[in-house]
Amino acid sequence: MISETDLKHLRRCVELAETALEKGDEPFGSVLVSAAGEVLFEDHNHVAGGDHTQHPEFAIARWAANHMAPEERSEATVYTSGEHCPMCAAAHGWAGLGRIVYASSSEQLAGWLIELGAAPSRVRNLSIQEVIKDTVVDGPVPELAEHMHELHGRLHRAKQ
Ligand SMILES: [Zn+2]
């Protein structure tokens, strides 16, 4: 289900996540790719300023709503380092975007947070499919998920 092209875009998401971490944000990065394979928009997490809604998948949904026709949105793919949270999954659904491919799952992240002794999130840990229907979702990708595990470890050790 995961092609070489998918891996290329996912690796970019992991790079963006690492950039976010280096800037003091949380390690999440996402890329929006058109049906023709063109990278249209990319972003990383920006929560360091105190706004915990500044997730890259949400930024992608907003960008897509403002710059793409409904049909283009439905054919576009969103790649992301970590599975969409419920807020971002809903935004993806409202924006009418297409396939989602993630490197690591929300379930994996929840397990890592427990292992790291981090406080659990107030937002429930729902899978994308629990929030939106009729969406093709692929992931996780084990070797990239392991890299994400490392980045979350770095974040939580830095907070201690
Ligand atoms: Zn989110």
Side-chain angles (χ1 to χ4, degrees):
M1 283 304 198
I2 307 278
S3 69
E4 273 307 309
T5 304
D6 291 336
L7 283 174
K8 181 187 81 177
H9 293 306
L10 283 176
R11 285 192 202 103
R12 177 62 186 148
C13 294
V14 173
E15 259 178 40
L16 288 163
E18 195 151 8
T19 301
L21 188 61
E22 283 159 7
K23 289 183 174 178
D25 295 302
E26 293 182 355
F28 296 96
S30 312
V31 174
L32 174 65
V33 178
S34 74
E38 187 192 350
V39 174
L40 299 174
F41 183 82
E42 56 176 39
D43 200 10
H44 62 68
N45 176 286
H46 294 276
V47 300
D51 179 356
H52 285 267
T53 67
Q54 295 285 344
H55 298 183
E57 303 93 330
F58 201 106
I60 281 177
R62 281 249 167 83
W63 188 92
N66 287 315
H67 295 89
M68 298 169 83
E71 195 188 330
E72 291 172 321
R73 280 181 246 151
S74 71
E75 292 173 350
T77 300
V78 174
Y79 293 91
T80 190
S81 62
E83 182 177 0
H84 290 44
C85 75
M87 171 185 77
C88 295
H92 184 99
W94 289 123
L97 284 160
R99 180 178 174 231
I100 295 175
V101 188
Y102 59 76
S104 59
S105 69
S106 297
E107 193 184 350
Q108 287 176 312
L109 176 61
W112 300 337
L113 294 179
I114 291 169
E115 171 200 301
L116 293 161
S121 164
R122 185 182 181 190
V123 177
R124 286 186 200 283
N125 182 33
L126 305 177
S127 71
I128 291 166
Q129 291 94 333
E130 285 175 281
V131 181
I132 50 171
K133 50 189 180 175
D134 306 327
T135 305
V136 177
V137 181
D138 291 307
V141 177
E143 69 269 28
L144 295 177
E146 201 34 56
H147 193 149
M148 291 312 304
H149 187 183
E150 258 174 61
L151 295 183
H152 283 281
R154 267 166 59 187
L155 170 71
H156 288 280
R157 280 190 296 276
K159 276 185 180 173
Q160 281 162 4

